[in-house]
Amino acid sequence: MHSFFGVLMRRSDIIPIEPRDWRLMDAAVRNQRMYDFSDHERARDARLKKIGELCIMAMKGNAADNRTRSSISIFIVIGMCCFFYVLGAWQRSGFGKGDSIAVEITKQTDCTILPNLSYDTHHDRASNLEELDLKAEIFEPCDDRYIDYTPCQEQKRAMTFPRANMEYRERHCPPEEEKLHCLIPAPKGYVVPFPWPKSRDYVPYANVPYKSLTVEKAIQNWVQYEGNVFRFPGGGTQFPQGADAYIDQLASVIPIANGTVRTALDTGCGVASWGAYLLKRNVLAMSFAPRDSHEAQVQFALERGVPAVIGVLGTIKLPYPSRAFDMAHCSRCLIPWGSNDGTYMMEVDRVLRPGGYWVLSGPPINWKMNYRSWQRTKEDLEEEQRKIEEIAELLCWEKVSEEGEIAVWRKRMNTDSCPVRQDERRVKICESTNADDVWYKKMEACVTPFPGVYSPEEVAGGELKKFPDRLNTVPPRITSGSVPGFSVQKYQEDNKLWKKHVKAYKKINKYLDTGRYRNIMDMNAGLGSFAAAIESPKLWVMNVVPTIAEKSTLGVVYERGLIGIYHDWCEAFSTYPRTYDLIHANGVFSLYQDKCKMEDILLEMDRILRPEGAVIFRDQVDVLTKVKRIVSGMRWNTKMADHEDGPLVPEKILVAVRQYWVSGDNNRTAVS
């Protein structure tokens, strides 16, 4: 058997896999202070206990026979007792030279699967052992028809909802009695995706075995099937010659190159080639598209290593905070921007940062030249563009360019620079006082107000530095006190703390920032400091802020130049199975205690985690004990490690790896 973080069962019919020295990581894990009650430790504890008993006997003896012993002898005995007590505590502490003893003991014990935990100082050992002694439920594999199951975008359920305004393509999650309690299998032949940047251009056919887009979008160069891989030439409906040339054209108008534009939103993204090619320009795009007739488009994006979620502009607000994106983009995305009194454009305005850019390419732009090829009448296209221009004016977007089939608008900096916004007869201002309260909230035909300013030159909501400087600069939402409970000092302390945590993670898993893990999710992101601490071109992080979190911090995450989404972990995430390489779960199960079943959250993590993907749990030891018991029935390997400050801290780290297995790799009956 390979080492713990090693590839458990490597599969590759495409290219030979480079040999990797997984033993380094195994040694790193063993060198962490683990809870492993081996024979060595039990013997050591017995010796310390015996010494303590002798000390007590000696002191009693001294009290009874003080006429024959000097007071100096008493002090010597007491001093020895104190010395051995301190030595024992030092060996357990994780500090100083005493730690080398613990390391040697740990090295002598193969603790691939750790035995029962005990933390007598702070925890009830009996209750912990009782939890572990309960027989873990063995979760069976689901039937093969669930290989690409997306619970909240399931086609049969979707068709029961109205089609008007794309409502049927929105999230519709199964009720409790319809939830699956089985493990989603990977397709036969599944292999670990290619490393970035090769994954941008090639995806193994076995991972996403669907060829329909290669036929449907053949002339637009979306994707091509070549042997046992899909190749992505970088084309799109509006840029069949490649995304690079298209982005160059945008960069002649929009400051993409200098870090001013860092976060982007791609509505109706296809296979996300626009977002894929922005990455090398240090722009991070959140791409979304519905699960519709364009089979597996978002799944292709994530297999390529590009951020994407299943989503649609329908009737519900987008799951992003206000003033989040530097740029929004629609390349023939088929969204009826001029309909519903401009509701869709108003929703883009809500998430667009003051001074941000909106790009529209394709119909109806330049309709006079293209109406025949678009198979639409002049009158229809002219009216559509007229409505778009009218709504853009109400939103105070300034049109900065229209060339060929590409038009670019820019949002004004504040209300003072937008006299139309002050005319209440023409513009309906949204009444909600919290523009970030969006989870399952209906979109409205109203304009989100700018934050107040003191001068016409001031940027509403605060000016951001160029990336990468904005990553660790104190965000405007913090300096303005917009997030209650988070001062500048607390923000800086949080940054420092997560740099320390990530340093400890890298000792456990030396592959954290090597490119082995491309798609990373933080299930409880807070201020985004975990993502900031590991930020690298080799990876990206989906920062999830739970909807039940005490503070809404996702706006801070975006002001740092990172991306993320609101989500409730009592429901399935808007993604395909097997789309994340690493999941970070900090305090998730403490947060959701008594909110929903722990096993449901863990099964959802299993669904979205790739075979051989890793999970880092950080939580209280009693919570992690329960997690460990449940995942032992889910084909995961686990290890427990101390907090980096030593074993006396009740918060622990549980690391896990999902075993490699595919459809048919078992003798059990699949759950249908």
Side-chain angles (χ1 to χ4, degrees), residues 179-197:
K179 288 183 178 179
L180 295 182
H181 288 85
C182 52
L183 306 177
I184 304 295
K188 290 182 179 179
Y190 180 89
V191 296
V192 174
F194 295 112
W196 183 266

Side-chain angles (χ1 to χ4, degrees), residues 156-164 167-173:
K156 186 177 179 180
R157 186 179 304 107
M159 298 308 292
T160 66
F161 289 86
R163 296 198 176 199
E167 183 178 349
Y168 76 121
R169 294 298 185 194
E170 294 179 327
R171 288 175 57 85
H172 303 291
C173 300

Side-chain angles (χ1 to χ4, degrees), residues 296-565:
Q297 53 186 337
V298 169
Q299 191 174 17
F300 275 126
L302 287 156
E303 284 294 313
R304 298 175 71 187
V306 181
V309 293
I310 303 171
V312 66
L313 261 176
T315 68
I316 302 296
K317 292 182 179 181
L318 294 173
Y320 313 114
S322 59
R323 311 190 312 276
F325 298 99
D326 301 306
M327 175 170 57
H329 173 257
C330 163
S331 172
R332 203 167 185 176
C333 60
L334 305 180
I335 295 172
W337 296 110
S339 64
N340 295 333
D341 299 320
T343 299
Y344 301 134
M345 289 179 67
M346 291 173 182
E347 179 62 2
V348 170
D349 180 76
R350 182 186 68 82
V351 301
L352 195 62
R353 189 162 290 140
Y357 297 86
W358 185 55
V359 179
L360 176 62
S361 64
I365 305 303
N366 199 19
W367 58 268
K368 293 179 182 178
M369 297 292 295
N370 296 297
Y371 70 94
R372 288 191 180 90
S373 61
W374 292 338
Q375 298 180 348
R376 292 174 62 184
T377 66
K378 290 181 180 180
E379 293 75 19
D380 180 33
L381 289 163
E382 183 178 18
E383 177 61 14
E384 183 180 350
Q385 180 151 358
R386 185 193 66 77
K387 287 182 178 179
I388 290 173
E389 300 278 6
E390 184 180 82
I391 297 164
E393 183 183 356
L394 288 175
L395 295 171
C396 265
W397 293 358
E398 178 189 5
K399 194 172 191 178
V400 295
S401 174
E402 182 175 334
E403 184 176 346
E405 297 175 20
I406 303 174
V408 180
W409 285 264
R410 190 182 188 196
K411 183 176 177 177
R412 300 294 179 100
M413 294 293 188
N414 53 50
T415 303
D416 289 352
S417 62
C418 181
V420 175
R421 286 278 183 98
Q422 301 171 27
D423 184 355
E424 295 183 359
R425 294 169 299 178
R426 295 189 61 191
V427 180
K428 179 185 177 183
I429 303 298
C430 297
E431 296 178 359
S432 173
T433 57
N434 184 3
D436 296 348
D437 182 17
V438 297
W439 188 246
Y440 285 127
K441 297 296 174 64
K442 291 285 186 180
M443 279 192 287
E444 300 177 76
C446 62
V447 179
T448 303
F450 283 109
V453 295
Y454 295 102
S455 69
E457 293 77 30
E458 186 180 348
V459 178
E463 187 173 3
L464 296 178
K465 292 186 177 294
K466 296 177 181 178
F467 196 83
D469 292 342
R470 73 170 74 165
L471 183 64
N472 291 304
T473 301
V474 181
R477 277 176 164 89
I478 298 294
T479 56
S480 66
S482 300
V483 185
F486 285 102
S487 62
V488 171
Q489 181 180 351
K490 283 191 175 181
Y491 169 81
Q492 292 170 337
E493 289 172 353
D494 189 72
N495 248 357
K496 184 178 179 181
L497 177 65
W498 279 103
K499 287 178 181 178
K500 177 181 175 181
H501 287 338
V502 168
K503 184 178 180 181
Y505 290 163
K506 290 179 180 179
K507 291 180 180 178
I508 298 173
N509 185 343
K510 290 180 181 283
Y511 295 91
L512 189 60
D513 59 354
T514 64
R516 171 66 179 85
Y517 306 114
R518 170 69 183 169
N519 302 1
I520 298 178
M521 173 181 284
D522 191 355
M523 294 177 68
N524 186 18
L527 299 175
S529 297
F530 166 76
I534 64 169
E535 203 280 327
S536 166
K538 300 173 185 176
L539 56 85
W540 58 269
V541 179
M542 181 67 73
N543 292 280
V544 180
V545 172
T547 56
I548 68 167
E550 185 180 354
K551 308 292 183 184
S552 177
T553 54
L554 192 55
V556 173
V557 171
Y558 274 93
E559 287 182 343
R560 303 185 71 168
L562 304 169
I563 59 171
I565 193 169

